Amino acid sequence: MDHLLNHATLDAATAKSDSDAAQPSFKQAEKIVYENNKLHKRLCRLTGQAIGDYNMIEDGDKIMVCLSGGKDSYALLDILLTLRERAPIHFDIIAVNLDQKQPNFPADILPAYLDKLGVAYHIENQDTYSIVKRVVPEGKTTCALCSRLRRGILYRVATELGATKIALGHHRDDILETFFLNMFFGGKLKGMPPKLQSDDGKQIVIRPLAYVKEADLTRYAEVKQFPIIPCDLCGSQENLQRKQIKGLMREWDKKFPGRVDNIFAALSTAAPSHLMDRQLFDFANLKATGVADTNGDIAFDEDPCAPIGGGTGNVISLHLKN
């Protein structure tokens, strides 16, 4: 299971050809196998850690994995299948794809892939594409309406299938991007939680890839050679605010290593008494108790005279198990 490169791939990497210089040596091929296995183990470890931290999957659950045809959902399904084999509890998995009737959508790819895996699946056919194209003016982003329509349909399908959890393929970068989008454009400190109750109150939605970086998923998709299906509706839009945020985070990663990691860690270490939300903390009735508070009035927890930058000397650890 851990060997991600099959024999054919390894043979291709080590076989003699007319251009030996272009072919990796046996030693190089071994290193590739090692690195790919290391990646697989890291993805399983991080996913398992997130599932455990937020109690995402319980004994007897039926997990509906939403499979879009993108790299993230393919990886989610693949990793959950691996973890199911190792888990001390029993849970079922059913893959669900919403065919939104986009032009040129290759409807045969996902069924063929899932049949080969032997995974139970359901294809839901709903023409949301026509609705979005009719309602959203030309040049405007379609994500909000498309997402809302898709969400409602998936909630209904989950109920019909008897699923107890809906698993989405959002990863760490998605969570951070959503946090910044809400802060910059919505005026809210709000992110994308790893686990939440659905809008209708009937479902529990989980994001098992919450600790996983997008770069690792991109590489994993290449290793596994997932049959990626591009989104012709929203994936082709260049004027998305999310893409601007993604570029900002990429720039931070280059200039200030550790900054993005610190921000992600901060999402799980909030101090309500040091923010300004009166509903989150009862400022109005706050009284002096005469007892020292370890979370007292400290504006910044580190040296205020430290150099401005990514804080690489004080990177907050996520304390993930090795």
Side-chain angles (χ1 to χ4, degrees), residues 58 62 69 100 127 136 164 170 194 229 234 293:
E58 300 169 276
K62 185 175 184 179
Q100 298 176 270
D127 188 2
V136 178
T164 56
H170 297 122
I229 302 174
C234 64
D293 185 357

Side-chain angles (χ1 to χ4, degrees), residues 173-182 190-192 242:
D173 296 62
D174 288 325
I175 292 173
L176 281 168
E177 289 162 15
T178 301
F179 171 72
F180 285 120
L181 282 169
N182 281 317
K190 178 182 177 183
M192 182 183 279
R242 184 174 291 274

Side-chain angles (χ1 to χ4, degrees), residues 30-82:
E30 280 189 322
K31 184 178 180 181
I32 291 172
V33 172
Y34 170 78
E35 290 297 331
N36 290 340
N37 288 336
K38 185 177 176 182
L39 171 64
H40 183 237
K41 289 177 181 178
R42 179 165 67 252
L43 294 178
C44 288
R45 173 175 58 82
L46 292 174
T47 303
Q49 179 73 23
I51 291 172
D53 285 351
Y54 294 93
N55 192 29
M56 294 185 190
I57 299 177
E58 300 169 276
D59 190 40
D61 269 341
K62 185 175 184 179
I63 310 298
M64 187 178 100
V65 179
C66 299
L67 195 63
S68 66
K71 69 181 189 312
D72 306 329
S73 60
Y74 273 124
L76 173 62
L77 176 63
D78 184 273
I79 295 166
L80 286 181
L81 289 172
T82 299

Side-chain angles (χ1 to χ4, degrees), residues 127-149:
D127 188 2
T128 61
Y129 178 85
S130 297
I131 297 174
V132 170
K133 296 301 286 185
R134 184 178 70 251
V135 173
V136 178
E138 190 68 30
K140 298 292 184 180
T141 55
T142 60
C143 289
L145 177 58
C146 181
S147 177
R148 191 158 60 248
L149 292 171

